Amino acid sequence: MTHQLKDGGQVLNVGMLARVEGEGGMHIEIKDRQVVDVKLNIFEPPRFYEGFLRGRKYTEPPDITARICGICPVAYQSASTEAMETICRIETTPEIQLMRRLLYCGEWIESHALHIFMLHAPDFLGYESVLEMAKDYPDVVQMALRLKKAGNDLMELVGGRAIHPVNVKVGGFYRMPTVAELEALRPDLARGVEDSLAAVELVAGFDFPDMEQDYTYVSLRHPDWYPLERGTEIVATSGVRFPVAEIPQHIEEFHVEHSNALHARFDGATYFVGPLARYSLNFDQLTPRCQEAAVKAELGETCRNPFKSIIVRTIELAYAFEEAVRIIDQWRDGHPPSVPVAPRAGEGVGASEAPRGTIWHRYRIDDDGVIQDAQIVPPTSQNQASIEADLRLAAQQWVDLDDHSLTHRCEEAIRNYDPCISCATHFLDLRVVRDGAGKPADAGAGS
C-alpha cells in the first residue's frame, strides 16, 4: 500500500510480503525524492527455542532445532551436532561425514529448486505467482517440481523423512542407507544435473537490474570442497579468516525496535552471508561443469549484484546434484552409522552453510550433558541489515518509477535473499526489568 504524507512525503508500505517464508513487511519513506527511512518489519512472533533448549540433554538439539524450519532443518541439525561433538571431543568417521554431506545435498536441492522457480522466477518473468507462470511455462514448472522431488526423496531416504528428519543424531545416524536404496535414486539425481545446468542458461537470460553492493561477504571455507555441511574456517572478502570456534568473537547480535529477530554485525560492520558470498569466496571449489556454467552466464568469479543471486543459486543447485551422484557412486555397505558420544563439560561452536547462508550454533553443557546455554544464529537474521541497505539503494535508484513499480522492485530486492523469517525469529529473549517497587520499569530484547 502506498500513501502520501501531509508534508508531501511518500510511504511505500507492504504489510505482508509475498513469496517469502514467514511473516514480515516492508516500510519505506521518501521525502523530496530522497529515501529517509527503511525498515524490514519482521513481526512474526518469536518462538524461544534457545530458552527451552536450556535444561535439555546434549543429545536433543538435532531433533529440537530441526523443528525451527521445515525447509532447512538439516542446517540446524548439522550445526548442532558439530557443536556437541566438538564439546565432547569426538571425531566421526569419514563415512558419517560423507552421508551428512549427502543429506545436506538433498536439502540444498529441495530448497534452491523451491526458491528459484516458485518464489523468484515469477519476478523476472512478470507474474504474480508460479500458478500464473505455469500457464505459459508448463515445462519449466514441471521440471522444477521434478527437481524438488529429487531433493525430498534424498532427504527422506537419508534423513528418515523429508521434513524435520529423524535419522540424525549426535555422533552420526541411527541407520545408514544401503547401496541398493541409494542406487534407486541415482537416475533422478543424474537427470537433475542436466536439468539444473540447463536452468542456469534459462535464468541467466533474465533481465537483471544494474545494482551492486560492496558488502563484506562471509562464508565457511574448506580446503577440499565447496562448503555445505561444514567447513574448517570462516573467510571474508575483507581478508579476515579464523577457525569456526572463534565465530562468537567476530559476530555480535543486537536488537532493533522494528524486528522480532536480532540483527548482527561482523567485526562491527554490516555483512552478507548466502549464495553470493559462498560463490565468491569458494568459486575454485566448484566442479568444472559448474564453473563452466558460471562463465557462460557471464558471472565472473565474484558476483556483487543481488538480483543475480538466482543464477548463483541455480549453479549451486547443479553442484548439489553433481555432489549427490558422486557420493552415491562411491558408497559401500557396512559402515557403522554412528560413534559413541559421552558428555563432558564445555562450550563449542558448530557451523554449516544453509541454503540461505552460514548458520552457527553455540552450546555450553555441564558434566552430565545438560545444556546450560544455547545460541542459534541463522542466515536471515544476519542478513537483515544488508536487506535494508538494498531496499534503501533500490528505492533511491528507482525513485522515479510509479508507486506500483517501485514497490514491486523493492519487494524483489527482499526476495533476492530468499529470507526465512520463521528461522530468524526463534531466538528473541524477552527481559522485564523491574523498579524498586517491583513494577515493570523497562522491557527489552537481546541474545
Side-chain angles (χ1 to χ4, degrees), residues 187-340:
D188 288 340
L189 295 170
R191 183 180 183 183
V193 174
E194 306 307 320
D195 283 347
S196 52
L197 287 172
V200 174
E201 294 187 34
L202 171 69
V203 299
F206 291 164
D207 183 19
F208 297 102
D210 185 14
M211 190 180 98
E212 293 194 352
Q213 293 276 41
D214 191 26
Y215 299 127
T216 295
Y217 280 168
V218 176
S219 170
L220 281 172
R221 172 82 182 176
H222 193 283
D224 299 325
W225 54 71
Y226 199 78
L228 275 83
E229 82 292 357
R230 61 173 178 157
T232 56
E233 61 179 345
I234 290 286
V235 295
T237 50
S238 61
V240 174
R241 59 196 314 141
F242 51 85
V244 169
E246 296 178 9
I247 292 177
Q249 300 173 30
H250 293 265
I251 294 179
E252 172 197 9
E253 292 184 288
F254 62 98
H255 181 246
V256 297
E257 185 177 354
H258 59 271
S259 177
N260 280 348
L262 297 177
H263 282 221
R265 302 184 188 96
F266 181 85
D267 289 341
T270 298
Y271 65 107
F272 181 110
V273 298
L276 292 180
R278 271 195 304 263
Y279 171 89
S280 299
L281 290 162
N282 296 279
F283 178 85
D284 61 309
Q285 298 288 12
L286 289 169
T287 63
R289 294 192 73 186
C290 287
Q291 290 182 357
E292 181 182 355
V295 171
K296 287 183 178 180
E298 300 181 353
L299 277 183
E301 295 186 11
T302 299
C303 181
R304 286 281 179 185
N305 185 337
F307 288 91
K308 291 187 176 181
S309 61
I310 191 171
I311 307 177
V312 175
R313 277 191 177 86
T314 312
I315 290 170
E316 288 193 334
L317 177 65
Y319 177 85
F321 273 111
E322 282 196 282
E323 189 71 348
V325 171
R326 181 188 70 83
I327 294 171
I328 288 174
D329 285 347
Q330 70 180 73
W331 189 253
R332 299 293 180 268
D333 288 334
H335 301 297
S338 65
V339 297

Side-chain angles (χ1 to χ4, degrees), residues 30-49:
I30 301 170
K31 185 176 181 180
D32 297 329
R33 299 182 67 255
Q34 295 296 313
V35 178
V36 296
D37 190 30
V38 170
K39 292 186 178 73
L40 176 66
N41 296 320
I42 293 183
F43 50 80
E44 181 165 328
R47 294 182 288 159
F48 305 104
Y49 270 85

Side-chain angles (χ1 to χ4, degrees), residues 52-177:
F52 60 72
L53 277 166
R54 297 173 193 137
R56 312 293 296 201
K57 295 292 289 183
Y58 72 108
T59 54
E60 294 185 79
D63 289 321
I64 292 175
T65 62
R67 270 65 179 180
I68 292 173
C69 184
I71 299 174
C72 52
V74 178
Y76 290 90
Q77 292 180 318
S78 296
S80 64
T81 54
E82 181 185 356
M84 289 302 176
E85 289 160 8
T86 297
I87 296 170
C88 299
R89 298 181 183 177
I90 293 298
E91 287 285 341
T92 57
T93 66
E95 292 77 23
I96 289 172
Q97 289 297 336
L98 202 62
M99 192 51 58
R100 284 176 170 172
R101 188 168 179 82
L102 182 61
L103 177 60
Y104 223 126
C105 285
E107 177 161 287
W108 268 32
I109 290 168
E110 60 86 11
S111 178
H112 275 353
L114 172 66
H115 175 74
I116 292 163
F117 300 103
M118 311 297 181
L119 306 181
H120 210 183
D123 282 333
F124 296 97
L125 295 174
Y127 298 95
E128 289 298 319
S129 74
V130 70
L131 298 178
E132 295 178 4
M133 191 179 96
K135 298 174 184 177
D136 297 326
Y137 294 90
D139 292 343
V140 172
V141 174
Q142 288 174 9
M143 178 183 69
L145 293 172
R146 187 168 64 244
L147 294 174
K148 189 178 188 311
K149 183 179 185 301
N152 286 346
D153 289 345
L154 187 55
M155 289 182 68
E156 185 172 349
L157 173 59
V158 180
R161 63 188 186 191
I163 300 174
H164 306 150
V166 293
N167 191 34
V168 177
K169 62 184 290 189
V170 175
F173 295 90
Y174 292 99
R175 173 189 180 273
M176 287 290 198

